[in-house]
Amino acid sequence: YKRQAPTLRRDGLDGALLAYDGQLIDDARLVVAVARTAAQHGARILTHVGASSATGNSVRLTDELTGQTLDLAARVVINAAGVWAAEVDSSIRLRPSRGTHLVFDASSFGNPTAALTIPIPGETNRFIFALPVQLGRIYLGLTDEEAPGPIPDVPEPTPGEVTFLLDVVNTALQTALTNADVTGAYAGLRPLIDAGEGRTADLSRDHAVLESDSGLFSVVGGKLTEYRYMAEDVLDRAIAARGISTGPCRTRNLPLVGAPANPVAAQRNSGILRTSGELPGSLVARYGAESRNVIATARCERPADPVAEGIDVTRAEFEFAVTHEGALDVGDILDRRTRIGLVAADRERAMGAATEFLAATR
């Protein structure tokens, strides 16, 4: 454990438990991979588009860049807007809770190779986690705080949550971390189903499929780890209710873009020019089987170079975000296709490269 978690306290330590679990290198990459895999199978992916006036067979779409609207008719309309689901269907009752993470340079934790699981004092079966992730960072989280009121586009951590996370993590460290060690912070809202009184931390994380009086189907609640099951469940319910004839569900074990078994990705890779030399490990961690494709399809100068000194995201990845992943602005590249923007200083340093690639495609 001294090598895997160098800053862990030694006093009073009788032993350690090492467990293996699934690891998500980059949540932004997962979201994009799901969307691109859907597109491979015929889905139309529209970003920067808002939905309103949804019913069981129609919805109004608004292009948030131009203001243009489109009324779309469909046999089934499914509301999967997460914490905003109640804004699409006012009959839904959600009780959002805020989860906050802090971002640290990995050196603050001695560049660990394992995550730390730290019990919250006074709680049963509640923990915080210090997770080594990409870009030489540690994510520390997370909280579970009631978040009533209007749903913000970008939830903000509160000073109390920052203090709470620092206090808990410091119970396990030799040298206390302070606010000065925090390089960034971010928060998200859980779309918990309102079950009445009690703490949000104690509410069920199960999902529910709901049908409104207009026939609109909604899927609410749930967790990231069951996203495939949630999608299958709501589609099965909606298809059965509408009497639509379909084949069996194919998505339970469908390989995403970047998986070696993904047929379209494999076909693309077999027909491209193979790049020489070793690919950056960070690129492979993010793109998997598509890594060589990201480099080989790039038309920019120095595609394998980092977008800025000390940031292990290549210039080819920024270009790929624009040419293959629908990035339309700087925020798309820095915040929603990569997670560079979680650290303000890194965002500033990478801004020039992001602007360069957006300009090159216009």
Side-chain angles (χ1 to χ4, degrees), residues 145-171:
E145 297 294 327
E146 192 98 23
I151 306 298
D153 287 341
V154 181
E156 295 290 341
T158 65
E161 289 175 293
V162 175
T163 299
F164 165 77
L165 290 172
L166 288 172
D167 286 346
V168 175
V169 74
N170 284 334
T171 64

Side-chain angles (χ1 to χ4, degrees), residues 82-83 85 91-97 146 190-200 202-210 218-223 226 230:
V83 75
S91 68
I92 293 174
R93 294 289 178 264
L94 296 180
R95 194 172 160 199
S97 77
E146 192 98 23
R190 303 175 185 86
L192 302 178
I193 300 168
D194 191 354
E197 298 298 321
R199 302 185 307 171
T200 55
D202 298 326
L203 294 181
S204 171
R205 267 50 175 173
D206 290 342
H207 76 276
V209 175
L210 310 172
S218 297
V219 56
V220 295
K223 300 180 70 174
E226 62 169 11
M230 291 169 64

Side-chain angles (χ1 to χ4, degrees), residues 24-28 100-106 109 112 114-118 128-142 165 169 177 182-186 286 334-335 338-343 346:
L24 182 61
I25 294 294
D26 185 334
D27 59 336
T100 286
H101 285 85
L102 306 183
V103 184
F104 297 83
D105 190 280
F109 286 78
L116 288 177
T117 300
I118 305 164
I128 68 168
F129 306 92
L131 307 172
V133 292
Q134 61 165 350
L135 303 177
R137 297 172 178 172
I138 300 290
Y139 293 166
L140 176 68
L142 73 172
L165 290 172
V169 74
L177 297 172
V182 178
T183 60
Y186 64 99
R286 287 188 287 268
L334 297 180
D335 305 323
T338 71
R339 286 300 194 216
I340 292 173
L342 290 178
V343 175
D346 290 348

Side-chain angles (χ1 to χ4, degrees), residues 180-341:
D181 297 301
V182 178
T183 60
Y186 64 99
L189 296 179
R190 303 175 185 86
L192 302 178
I193 300 168
D194 191 354
E197 298 298 321
R199 302 185 307 171
T200 55
D202 298 326
L203 294 181
S204 171
R205 267 50 175 173
D206 290 342
H207 76 276
V209 175
L210 310 172
E211 184 179 6
S212 71
D213 292 340
S214 73
L216 173 69
F217 280 90
S218 297
V219 56
V220 295
K223 300 180 70 174
L224 175 63
T225 48
E226 62 169 11
Y227 77 92
R228 292 195 189 220
Y229 171 60
M230 291 169 64
E232 182 178 347
D233 191 22
V234 67
L235 279 169
D236 284 349
R237 294 272 296 276
I239 287 168
R242 297 291 182 270
I244 300 172
S245 178
T246 66
C249 178
R250 297 176 294 155
T251 61
R252 183 169 297 183
N253 298 304
L254 185 72
L256 298 181
V257 166
N262 181 281
V264 177
Q267 183 180 13
R268 284 177 177 167
N269 277 331
S270 66
I272 65 172
L273 175 65
R274 297 295 183 177
T275 55
S276 60
E278 290 295 322
L279 295 171
S282 56
L283 172 67
V284 175
R286 287 188 287 268
Y287 286 87
E290 276 208 312
S291 301
R292 293 191 182 278
N293 197 35
V294 173
I295 295 291
T297 59
R299 296 294 176 261
C300 63
E301 296 180 355
R302 310 180 315 281
D305 283 3
V307 294
E309 185 178 354
I311 298 177
D312 60 0
V313 175
T314 63
R315 288 169 51 81
E317 290 173 75
F318 272 20
E319 181 177 330
F320 200 77
V322 176
T323 58
H324 290 72
E325 297 176 348
L328 298 177
D329 59 26
V330 167
D332 282 346
I333 295 176
L334 297 180
D335 305 323
R336 290 177 285 278
R337 303 301 184 276
T338 71
R339 286 300 194 216
I340 292 173

